[in-house]
Amino acid sequence: MGDHFQRIVDVEVGGEEAGPLAERMVDWMTAEGLLTRERSSDGVYSPTVDEGYVPGQAWGQAVDDAWGQDWIPGPVAVVVGRDHHVGGQGTDEAEYADCPRCGTRTVVIDYPEQFEADPEVWERFENGIAAWKATGEGDAPCTACGALVPVTEWQWESGFALGALAFDFWGWPPLSPDFLQSFARRLGHRTAEHSGKF
């Protein structure tokens, strides 16, 4: 079984802007009736946040299909702060990253031959990500072209993202494409979307 989530990560917002933007997004979802101001920890398993906003009566407007009246989605956790985000069941490493300068793909986990990250390959990304989390700036070198590239500019595989703001929808039916587009427009930034379970 497990508890399922859908996550929207803002991959462009800066650390100082993330908190105010989070408030504006919650204000909008509350005004639309998608959320209430009530908070709950029931069914919230986000890594750094232990409670979220309880769905409002109009939550069904955000999902893909009509769901039964008896469906009760969980809270929406708002995660503010620079961090890495993963889908699936939560591995900490990306499968690969593409250099935005030369387009070369660096394979970190060589599926299906390997199911764990190559520690030597991942180390340079891990160090850059740790620096970015601590200071807002961090780089990783491309071994193909030699460029020292900010970790926020590397093109990560779809289940891995770096961002200072994320929204975890716990126990919701699939979010609709229209809602996801509207959400990204209101953020004003590129987003990454994940799903998975705890």
Side-chain angles (χ1 to χ4, degrees):
M1 291 293 289
D3 291 273
H4 293 263
F5 68 88
Q6 295 168 83
R7 175 179 296 132
I8 303 172
V9 183
D10 185 322
V11 298
E12 293 182 332
V13 68
E16 294 177 359
E17 303 165 337
L21 181 55
E23 286 297 324
R24 290 196 300 273
M25 294 301 289
V26 170
D27 287 346
W28 167 65
M29 287 189 282
T30 302
E32 294 292 316
L34 304 175
L35 299 180
T36 69
R37 287 288 176 179
E38 180 184 352
R39 300 183 74 158
S40 172
S41 61
D42 291 343
V44 174
Y45 302 100
S46 300
T48 59
V49 176
D50 59 6
E51 64 179 11
Y53 294 92
V54 174
Q57 291 187 348
W59 68 265
Q61 295 178 13
V63 301
D64 210 3
D65 295 309
W67 287 74
Q69 294 291 326
D70 57 345
W71 185 276
I72 303 174
V76 175
V78 181
V79 182
V80 177
R82 289 184 294 269
D83 210 342
H84 72 283
H85 301 275
V86 294
Q89 293 191 357
T91 59
D92 279 336
E93 303 89 4
E95 181 181 344
Y96 61 81
D98 294 336
C99 176
R101 306 292 189 264
C102 69
T104 299
R105 175 164 293 178
T106 300
V107 175
V108 178
I109 305 174
D110 189 14
Y111 291 125
E113 301 300 322
Q114 301 291 326
F115 292 92
E116 294 182 1
D118 180 322
E120 291 182 15
V121 174
W122 182 243
E123 182 179 21
R124 68 178 184 269
F125 293 112
E126 186 175 35
N127 291 341
I129 291 168
W132 169 75
K133 286 181 183 182
T135 69
E137 296 183 9
D139 304 305
C142 175
T143 57
C145 69
L148 192 60
V149 180
V151 291
T152 53
E153 294 181 19
W154 281 87
Q155 303 300 305
W156 303 100
E157 54 102 351
S158 61
F160 187 93
L162 300 177
L165 177 59
F167 298 83
D168 292 351
F169 292 74
W170 285 97
W172 284 55
L175 299 173
S176 72
D178 286 346
F179 173 73
L180 292 170
Q181 289 174 5
S182 178
F183 200 95
R185 277 196 307 271
R186 287 199 167 264
L187 284 171
H189 301 128
R190 285 187 305 110
T191 60
E193 291 134 31
H194 297 157
S195 61
K197 71 176 184 177
F198 177 82

